[in-house]
Amino acid sequence: MTDGRIAVVGASAAGLAAVEALRRGGWTGTLTLIGDEPHLPYDRPPLSKQLLSGDWQADRLGLRTEVQLDTLDLDLRLGTRATALDAATRTVTLADGERLECAGVIVATGVRARTLPGLADVAGVHTLRTLDDALGLQTWLSGAPRRLVVAGNGVLGCEAAAVARELGHEVTLVGRDPLPMHRLVGDGTGTLLAAEHERHGVRMLTGGLEAVETADGHVTGVRLTDGSAPAADTVLLAIGSEPAVDWLRADAALDTADGLRCDEFCAAAPGIYAAGDVARWYHPGHGRHLRIEHRMNATEQAMAAARNLLAELGTTEDERRPFTPVPYFWSDQYGMKLQAYGVLAGADRTETVLLDKEQRQVAALYGRDGLATGVLAAGLPPRQIRGLRAVIATPGPWEEAHAALRTALGAE
């Protein structure tokens, strides 16, 4: 099949990769790209780094120009929200009531930032997920030094705290865990990150966020579960995200617990595929369902979903292939780059090798159920870091991976 309509819902990096792969794969029918933001597809990682610091302008984040998108002959629906999907008929309903009957659908709606109720009209409270979010916070950071409380010490919170501190603001970083990014990186790397933030003057507090304090419609600080109440001129809520699946929940055929559940081919139902942050798919190598909020995974998974959808529709002669990537992510904080391969989250065993404390060089191995599943490094040369990928390209016995890691690091 090469005619009819394929709808890609989500004008994200994943959505863009999907429509490009569909055209390359031979789809000549209508190709609809739906995005609830008014912007052309843009890159999100720089939002909490280069854009927030003011090093980049917004126009540098665009992934394609209008001219480049025109070559795809898209039915482009920006500023348009999808409100429902009937999986049986592959029909997408839009907010204005229009119903799009499709030969196939790829869901790439990503995630939404968590927030707290009652704060929509409070000045000085920010989230950081979209381009408009980042521009709003960047405007504040570009002014005179003031007090910022970052609620949430995961990856996003840590990156934003680092940028704000380098711009001269007084920063308090609040988290439920005593170490930054602890749930992802564990004790060893978390301790290194804590030392780095402290060295740059970030105040770190441990506790849950109980309330945001306000006066005359403006934020004045936060109150934590331990009773402490740091003052603030602005608050960044970096308290996690939720898969954008509300519009899918009316269809009982779709499993939307923690994202859209898919099989190893990224299919949620016949003709319905998902990619990027919203997809929770079965990874045969890890033997479980994963949902990965990393930039590279978004692009790779979108291409795999598009390829498998075309194979199902008979557009190509290819057979569907399982999506079995080696996930990769990075984080930049104070000039220190963290890079990781594999799956770190959910590890029940971690071992950290501190190579050089002064140079902030560290490597760590992560495992689950006796298998090594992920590896992280900071401060190492790019070629050496890339060499670590082979250590966990396929989850294998912990002891074998541990020995390979030490050999790769020259630690033996």
Side-chain angles (χ1 to χ4, degrees), residues 1-345:
M1 177 187 294
T2 58
D3 56 3
R5 181 196 303 270
I6 292 178
V8 177
V9 186
S12 54
L16 174 64
V19 294
E20 290 183 329
L22 289 165
R23 284 300 191 218
R24 285 196 307 270
W27 183 257
T28 58
T30 302
L31 185 53
T32 301
L33 179 61
I34 302 163
D36 59 0
E37 294 183 62
H39 310 292
L40 295 175
Y42 60 86
D43 212 12
R44 291 188 191 276
L47 295 181
S48 59
K49 306 177 185 74
Q50 295 93 337
L51 184 77
L52 202 59
S53 68
D55 291 341
W56 287 13
Q57 298 302 309
D59 57 5
R60 191 169 173 179
L61 272 63
L63 293 170
R64 300 292 183 272
T65 65
E66 288 189 42
V67 173
Q68 290 170 324
L69 288 177
D70 284 345
T71 65
L72 298 173
D73 189 25
L74 296 176
D75 171 28
L76 188 59
R77 311 287 189 99
L78 297 179
T80 301
R81 187 167 54 90
T83 58
L85 171 60
D86 185 322
T89 62
R90 305 177 193 177
T91 299
V92 177
T93 301
L94 305 181
D96 62 3
E98 184 179 1
R99 292 166 57 85
L100 305 178
E101 296 182 0
C102 303
V105 177
I106 296 179
V107 176
T109 45
V111 296
R112 295 192 180 96
R114 286 197 180 103
T115 186
L116 297 176
L119 298 177
D121 297 322
V122 176
V125 177
H126 298 265
T127 56
L128 185 51
R129 173 62 189 172
T130 69
L131 175 57
D132 291 340
D133 290 341
L135 290 173
L137 182 57
Q138 196 275 332
T139 297
W140 180 87
L141 291 177
S142 66
R146 290 151 75 181
R147 300 168 299 177
L148 169 68
V149 169
V150 180
N153 61 358
V155 177
L156 180 65
C158 287
E159 289 180 349
V163 168
R165 190 69 196 99
E166 289 180 317
L167 291 174
H169 298 282
E170 179 183 318
V171 179
T172 300
L173 181 60
V174 177
R176 291 184 178 275
D177 298 313
L179 295 173
M181 293 172 54
H182 181 263
R183 296 185 190 185
L184 181 63
V185 303
D187 291 342
T189 305
T191 298
L192 182 70
L193 285 171
E196 193 69 2
H197 280 280
E198 288 175 344
R199 187 170 75 88
H200 283 83
V202 173
R203 178 190 183 195
M204 290 187 291
L205 299 178
T206 303
L209 180 63
E210 188 169 274
V212 174
E213 304 284 4
T214 65
D216 299 323
H218 198 286
V219 65
T220 59
V222 300
R223 186 172 69 252
L224 306 183
T225 51
D226 65 358
S228 59
D233 301 303
T234 197
V235 172
L236 171 60
L237 298 177
I239 53 177
S241 58
E242 298 174 343
V245 293
D246 289 354
W247 66 289
L248 300 171
R249 289 192 171 128
D251 192 326
L254 301 173
D255 183 343
T256 57
D258 188 28
L260 180 57
R261 182 185 174 102
C262 301
D263 62 16
E264 66 270 33
F265 305 108
C266 305
I272 309 294
Y273 288 73
D277 299 359
V278 73
R280 180 168 58 92
W281 94 103
Y282 183 79
H283 192 303
H286 287 271
R288 58 191 173 109
H289 279 80
L290 302 175
R291 189 174 66 81
I292 296 178
E293 296 183 26
H294 301 328
R295 172 65 175 84
M296 184 171 289
N297 183 75
T299 298
E300 292 179 345
Q301 191 167 30
M303 292 189 292
R307 182 179 60 245
N308 286 336
L309 172 57
L310 293 178
E312 179 183 334
L313 296 177
T315 304
T316 68
E317 296 181 358
D318 295 339
E319 293 185 355
R320 296 196 305 165
R321 299 197 298 272
F323 180 57
T324 58
V326 178
Y328 168 79
F329 90 92
W330 76 95
S331 176
D332 295 316
Q333 298 172 41
Y334 307 111
M336 180 174 66
K337 181 178 285 290
L338 299 171
Q339 298 182 74
Y341 291 101
V343 178
L344 280 56

Side-chain angles (χ1 to χ4, degrees), residues 337-404:
K337 181 178 285 290
L338 299 171
Q339 298 182 74
Y341 291 101
V343 178
L344 280 56
D348 57 26
R349 185 175 184 180
T350 304
E351 182 162 338
T352 303
V353 180
L354 182 61
L355 301 171
D356 189 322
K357 185 175 181 180
E358 293 301 318
Q359 296 298 318
R360 302 184 298 282
Q361 292 183 339
V362 66
L365 186 68
Y366 300 80
R368 175 178 170 137
D369 298 331
L371 299 178
T373 61
V375 63
L376 175 145
L380 302 184
R383 186 168 65 177
Q384 189 173 21
I385 290 176
R386 288 193 297 270
L388 299 181
R389 182 183 186 278
V391 173
I392 49 82
T394 300
W398 175 271
E399 296 303 332
E400 292 180 11
H402 182 263

